[in-house]
Amino acid sequence: MTAEQALQIWRSRLVKHGLDEVQRLAVKRPLQPRARRFIFLRHGETEGNARRLYQTPEIPLNPTGLEQARRAAAYLRAHPVERIVASDMRRAWQTAHAAAEIVGAPVIAEPRLRERWFGDLVGTPSHDLDWRHEPPNGESLRDFILRTQAGLVDALDTEVPTLLVAHGGPLYVLVFSLGADLLEQHIANATPLLFEFEAQTGRWRISNIVPEHVTAGYLTAAD
């Protein structure tokens, strides 16, 4: 797949799943973190991901997800990580501790990095997920973005090498708030992403620290 093809797929996803509205709201409060280099790791696969369901906070990683988390953690050895800030939802928490076993860094719980709460939709199919829609008895898109941004501001207010472990939704908020470019392959489960601020261009660059063939078959549906 060429870079242009990947970009076209991503732009299609933006519109199809209402992520253009996430972007519109997030850019109103751009992030300017103290950290100029950090890593973001989405959690490993769960049965909810595999079955394309809106998930509960308690759902754990499935066997595939546990192996993905361990594999991602192994690649973190080559990068300095001195603190891990993670969503306290079980799937992210398990992924964070898999990383901690390898890099030897403490794990700090940050509830504001939880996935959006989809209320009455939890347990139902998420194939047609549209971030613009307000879920019954769930979290509004505006509230989700504001609390995620607040959590990111505090998590990245440091020069200590940091690993963030969270979900697809917070990844979208992070990328849009930084004004960065995201591609389809970046949102797969257990894909460690290196964020680096380039002073010459004034922009953030995102790169996958795992060889692309390793994550090629990972699911890319949001959770």
Side-chain angles (χ1 to χ4, degrees):
M1 180 185 299
T2 67
E4 181 61 28
Q5 288 173 325
L7 185 58
Q8 289 301 321
I9 291 173
W10 172 244
R11 288 174 176 168
S12 175
R13 174 183 281 269
L14 276 177
V15 176
K16 178 180 178 181
H17 294 291
L19 290 167
D20 50 350
E21 181 64 8
V22 180
Q23 184 176 38
R24 187 185 71 82
L25 294 173
V27 298
K28 290 182 176 181
R29 300 181 70 225
L31 293 182
Q32 296 180 323
R34 184 178 169 195
R36 284 295 182 258
R37 184 183 188 278
F38 62 90
I39 297 171
F40 182 100
L41 176 61
R42 185 186 170 202
H43 63 80
E45 183 183 306
T46 67
E47 283 307 301
N49 291 141
R51 295 171 58 196
R52 299 291 299 275
L53 299 174
Y54 292 102
Q55 303 187 75
T56 68
E58 297 81 17
I59 192 168
L61 300 180
N62 63 16
T64 297
L66 288 168
E67 178 56 32
Q68 289 173 343
R70 287 190 287 265
R71 190 177 298 129
Y75 281 96
L76 293 172
R77 284 195 179 100
H79 298 267
V81 175
E82 296 181 19
R83 64 195 283 268
I84 301 172
V85 182
S87 158
D88 59 354
M89 285 184 165
R90 188 175 179 185
R91 54 195 185 270
W93 198 245
Q94 286 180 290
T95 304
H97 279 275
E101 289 179 7
I102 297 296
V103 302
V107 182
I108 304 165
E110 177 48 87
R112 291 173 295 180
L113 296 185
R114 287 182 163 211
E115 185 56 280
R116 185 182 181 186
W117 177 242
F118 287 97
D120 293 350
L121 296 180
V122 170
T124 67
S126 62
H127 298 80
D128 298 322
L129 169 62
D130 188 330
W131 289 86
R132 290 167 294 207
H133 294 167
E134 303 295 351
N137 296 312
E139 188 174 21
S140 73
L141 182 58
R142 179 182 179 277
D143 287 349
F144 164 66
I145 291 172
L146 290 176
R147 63 98 166 155
T148 302
Q149 287 178 323
L152 291 168
V153 166
D154 288 348
L156 297 174
D157 185 24
T158 181
E159 295 177 2
V160 176
T162 296
L163 168 66
L164 304 180
V165 183
H167 311 264
L171 174 59
Y172 295 140
V173 174
L174 171 64
V175 170
F176 295 147
S177 299
L178 293 174
D181 295 320
L182 195 66
L183 297 177
E184 181 80 4
Q185 61 265 33
H186 290 153
I187 64 174
N189 288 115
T191 299
L193 302 173
L194 176 62
F195 284 70
E196 296 177 290
F197 183 75
E198 298 180 327
Q200 289 184 337
T201 63
R203 292 183 58 82
W204 286 86
R205 181 166 61 89
I206 305 173
S207 55
N208 183 354
I209 67 173
V210 174
E212 192 168 311
H213 72 272
V214 174
T215 59
Y218 290 9
L219 297 178
T220 60
D223 54 343

